[in-house]
Amino acid sequence: MDEMATAATVERVSKFRTADLHDLCDAADLAIRDGGGFGWVDPPPRDVMERYWKGVLIVPERHLFIARLDGVVAGSAQLVAPPRNNEAQGHSAQLTTSFVAPWARGHGLARMLVRAVEMAAREAGYRVLNLDVRETQRAAIALYETLGFRRWGTHPLYANVRGQSLAGHFFYKDLTSTDLPSPQPLTEAPT
């Protein structure tokens, strides 16, 4: 018997479809519990998580990308534009809040999310893409390095997780490089 192929996609969203917010909160909750939180150590109450995601969609400088596995939201990443009053750093954007739920790992979603954010940053005219990550997120660090991000620094007291200080690593990618990522399937969510 043939295994059924899984459908892995990434899309940029400006509004949630019916089940998307619920699925996104579930995926984020599982990722946070697995140590892949994006600031949270423990998942917040569901109403707080829902308000967070709804808030992301109304901030003009934030662009939300979601990954789906067989149609179910399984992860996300954000492209964050610099503040409008920061002319000196207006050439750089940030990749943040990148995660994939544990149940959906191993299907290339994390790579697809990073590539989608990178392509959107290039299309918007940014020349640099920055990110930071806890030292404990080794799979993410390995992915960023294989995608051409360069570590430029380490903050020894970056995070405090359950009373333990953790270092954080800072990365950047020069988007003016001719080393372009291969196009990935990216769709705009229907409005």
Side-chain angles (χ1 to χ4, degrees):
M1 184 184 299
D2 292 329
E3 272 188 52
M4 291 181 55
T6 56
T9 61
V10 169
E11 62 193 53
R12 186 176 181 169
V13 297
S14 57
K15 148 179 164 174
F16 293 120
R17 292 187 221 161
T18 305
D20 286 354
L21 181 59
H22 175 77
D23 291 348
L24 183 57
C25 288
D26 284 349
D29 186 277
L30 291 171
I32 292 165
R33 290 180 193 281
D34 194 51
F38 38 91
W40 281 305
V41 175
D42 293 305
R46 181 52 68 111
D47 64 315
V48 172
M49 180 83 75
E50 287 179 0
R51 282 194 310 269
Y52 170 78
W53 291 115
K54 287 176 183 177
V56 166
L57 294 184
I58 62 172
V59 176
E61 292 80 19
R62 289 187 176 261
H63 307 279
L64 179 63
F65 295 80
I66 58 172
R68 295 180 189 274
L69 189 61
D70 293 332
V72 178
V73 176
S76 82
Q78 293 177 47
L79 172 64
V80 180
R84 292 181 188 123
N85 67 335
N86 192 346
E87 184 179 355
Q89 293 180 336
H91 67 286
S92 65
Q94 184 170 359
L95 166 65
T96 187
T97 320
S98 183
F99 71 90
V100 173
W103 61 266
R105 293 180 184 153
H107 297 278
L109 292 173
R111 178 178 297 272
M112 290 171 66
L113 280 164
V114 173
R115 296 247 177 166
V117 168
E118 181 181 338
M119 291 302 294
R122 284 179 193 270
E123 290 169 5
Y126 295 108
R127 297 190 323 253
V128 177
L129 187 59
N130 296 304
L131 65 88
D132 53 272
V133 63
R134 291 182 206 159
E135 68 179 337
T136 55
Q137 295 172 304
R138 290 178 185 86
I141 292 167
L143 172 65
Y144 298 139
E145 289 174 341
T146 63
L147 291 175
F149 285 84
R150 298 181 57 130
R151 186 183 312 181
W152 64 265
T154 297
H155 185 316
L157 304 173
Y158 174 81
N160 188 324
V161 177
R162 307 205 189 296
Q164 178 185 0
S165 291
L166 298 176
H169 302 302
F170 294 84
F171 290 85
Y172 76 95
K173 184 167 185 177
D174 178 355
L175 299 179
T176 65
S177 165
T178 57
D179 179 26
L180 297 173
S182 58
Q184 296 294 314
L186 175 65
T187 58
E188 289 288 334
T191 54

